[in-house]
Amino acid sequence: MKTRVVTPEQARRIAVCAQLLDGSAMSVLDTVRKLGHLQMDPIATVARPQELVLFSRLGPFDSAELDSLLWEERKLFEYDAFIYPVEDLPLQRARMAKRRRGGKLKRDDWTRDFLRGNARLRRYVLRELERNGPLLSRDLKYDPPANAERHRWWGRGELRLMMDMLAGRGEIAVAGRAGTHRVWNLPQRVWPETDTLSWREAERELEARRRRRQGAWLQRGEWHAHPDVPDEPVPDRVTVLSPFDGLVKDRDRAEALWGFRYRLEMYVPKAKREYGYYVLPLLAGDEVVGRAEPRFDRKTGTLELLGAWGDTSRLDEALEPLGAWLGATARA
């Protein structure tokens, strides 16, 4: 791929265009296909992150359409806390195969030891899904050891960790959602048959797509741009961004491109936070101009603004459509 060297001003325009934040996004499915994926996260202070990423590009849209594409039309699939287009399944299956093979790192040794030490639990999970799937984790009859400690990520006992590990290896698959809970089944009942790629082929393609999604990146002190992303003026639209948005997900790149230092401070003690718990960057045209901390109170139907920093002169322009999309009945 032959890249071109561009100015920082051009790089900002190209980065926004590559992420479809220039008003060019047309539909939920088209947006996911062009972005490559949506990252999922259980924290929904405003909205689910995957929905907020779509809102930033499409404006108010029907959130039910995303669920329909996932669980009814099966044009999208969930894997490893990301949502992908189903045509990209071969790339992720190559990742799953790589995880099954393992490697020489300490974590690979730990995984092998865990699976070996819990082989009976693994067989039980796979047998239950084969006989009775689809199932929620709570449908599985599992009693954690009396001395099992509660872990921050996977709870008490080995079941949650086992489910996540089997899912990462492609031995089980997310077949649906019951609220925020995953419904599990065997992958052959959830995903279509696909071509098989080696990890080397998949890795090469994934890296090419990552560069295309970035649009511009810093290389030896110069900004390089993808040849397929145009350098055109960006429409003067204003929106807030999810903390997991592709435009700011690479924090160092965002700081180099806009002088915008951004960190998600959810897990920082309140007294030590520089800004707030769940702060959203504010994009105006091709500039990240500020940040705000909105919170949607679902009990009262109120979209609250807990704080705002930087140039927030156009913040209302971003929050009004956000509140309407969320169904907020008031602003505070």
Side-chain angles (χ1 to χ4, degrees), residues 30-274:
D30 180 67
T31 300
V32 180
R33 282 173 170 165
K34 289 181 177 177
L35 293 181
H37 60 254
L38 299 175
Q39 185 171 346
M40 307 174 74
D41 191 83
I43 304 297
T45 303
V46 177
R48 295 185 298 176
Q50 60 269 31
E51 294 175 338
L52 191 53
V53 166
L54 292 171
F55 169 82
S56 298
R57 289 150 178 80
L58 296 166
F61 73 99
D62 184 1
S63 300
E65 184 178 352
L66 180 61
D67 289 332
S68 177
L69 288 166
L70 274 163
W71 314 126
E72 296 173 19
E73 300 178 52
R74 300 288 182 180
K75 293 181 179 179
L76 303 174
F77 71 99
E78 178 183 337
Y79 169 64
D80 205 21
F82 284 85
I83 294 170
Y84 297 99
V86 73
E87 56 267 26
D88 288 358
L89 186 55
L91 296 171
Q92 298 309 317
R93 276 189 158 144
R95 190 187 302 278
M96 297 170 201
K98 180 175 182 290
R99 288 180 171 178
R100 290 195 297 272
R101 288 193 301 273
K104 298 180 180 179
L105 299 176
K106 286 186 177 180
R107 66 186 180 195
D108 297 309
D109 290 337
W110 188 90
T111 297
R112 281 188 285 268
D113 289 343
F114 176 86
L115 291 173
R116 191 180 301 115
N118 294 278
R120 184 177 178 182
L121 177 60
R122 176 179 174 273
R123 289 194 299 270
Y124 167 70
V125 169
L126 295 177
R127 185 175 65 247
E128 284 298 301
L129 288 179
E130 182 178 11
R131 293 175 178 175
N132 303 308
L135 295 171
L136 292 160
S137 296
R138 64 173 176 248
D139 295 327
L140 297 168
K141 296 179 175 61
Y142 169 75
D143 294 319
N147 61 348
E149 296 182 3
R150 176 168 290 280
H151 190 274
R152 180 178 182 179
W153 299 113
W154 57 77
R156 186 168 176 266
E158 295 85 3
L159 180 62
R160 168 69 187 277
L161 179 57
M162 176 62 75
M163 302 298 282
D164 286 348
M165 201 170 285
L166 293 178
R169 293 160 59 91
E171 296 183 56
I172 63 176
V174 182
R177 286 269 174 171
T180 60
H181 299 284
R182 292 170 292 185
V183 179
W184 299 102
N185 210 336
L186 298 179
Q188 59 268 29
R189 297 175 182 168
V190 180
W191 299 328
E193 290 295 322
T194 63
D195 295 333
T196 301
L197 294 178
S198 69
W199 174 241
R200 181 172 295 181
E201 292 172 306
E203 189 176 34
R204 188 163 52 243
E205 178 62 22
L206 288 167
E207 176 60 19
R209 294 186 183 199
R210 186 181 72 85
R211 290 297 196 191
R212 174 62 177 78
R213 290 195 302 271
Q214 283 187 320
W217 57 92
L218 198 58
Q219 185 175 323
R220 292 190 291 274
E222 293 182 316
W223 286 102
H224 288 247
H226 195 284
D228 296 341
V229 184
D231 168 23
E232 297 176 356
V234 172
D236 188 28
R237 61 192 299 270
V238 184
T239 189
V240 290
L241 303 175
S242 163
F244 304 100
D245 197 289
L247 193 70
V248 294
K249 186 177 177 181
D250 184 332
R251 312 302 194 208
D252 292 339
R253 173 176 173 267
E255 188 168 358
L257 202 49
W258 288 284
F260 182 76
R261 187 179 187 280
Y262 177 61
R263 300 293 186 272
L264 191 55
E265 298 181 287
M266 287 189 302
Y267 302 116
V268 176
K270 187 175 182 179
K272 295 184 178 181
R273 290 175 193 153
E274 185 177 2

Side-chain angles (χ1 to χ4, degrees), residues 7-24:
T7 66
E9 293 77 13
Q10 290 174 304
R12 288 192 282 270
R13 293 197 296 267
I14 291 167
V16 169
C17 180
Q19 277 291 309
L20 307 183
L21 284 159
D22 58 350
S24 62

